[in-house]
Amino acid sequence: MILLDTHAILWLDAGIELSADARERIEQERSAGGILVSTVSAWEIGTLVRKGRIRLDLEASAWMQRFLASAGLRCLPLSLDAALGASNLPEPLHNDRPTGC
């Protein structure tokens, strides 16, 4: 089982080339139904769209639903503890700019 980070989600959707090891592992896990996507990545993608750092061909919620509909992807729910912990992160959170998106 693997958890994709936000960059990997965006790169996979955009068809950006991943390393051979990463591609092989993702395909192994996809066939076993073991690819997880965090709800935090959905939040981060929505935030990137809102800040104008990325553009999607659909509204962020519809885009994420389409991505999750790909075979073998499951959304990992956000726990209460994780949500409360995230509310205490310092601002600004970070200035990540996904490359290739």
Side-chain angles (χ1 to χ4, degrees), residues 55-97:
R55 280 190 262 163
L56 304 174
D57 62 337
L58 296 169
E59 184 271 326
S61 178
W63 184 92
M64 184 59 79
Q65 291 300 322
R66 181 184 67 195
F67 184 79
L68 290 172
S70 300
L73 299 179
R74 293 186 290 148
C75 187
L76 183 63
L78 183 62
S79 71
L80 180 62
D81 287 340
L84 291 170
S87 70
N88 291 313
L89 293 171
E91 289 291 337
L93 189 55
H94 58 67
N95 288 318
D96 275 355
R97 289 183 182 264

Side-chain angles (χ1 to χ4, degrees), residues 15-64:
I16 295 172
E17 190 69 24
L18 301 174
S19 73
D21 289 341
R23 280 192 322 272
E24 181 179 331
R25 180 71 192 274
I26 288 170
E27 287 310 313
Q28 286 172 350
E29 294 298 334
R30 183 187 308 264
S31 65
I35 299 179
L36 300 174
V37 172
S38 172
T39 53
V40 174
S41 288
W43 170 82
E44 188 171 21
I45 288 168
T47 300
L48 290 168
V49 169
R50 180 178 52 81
K51 290 182 175 184
R53 296 204 175 147
I54 64 170
R55 280 190 262 163
L56 304 174
D57 62 337
L58 296 169
E59 184 271 326
S61 178
W63 184 92
M64 184 59 79

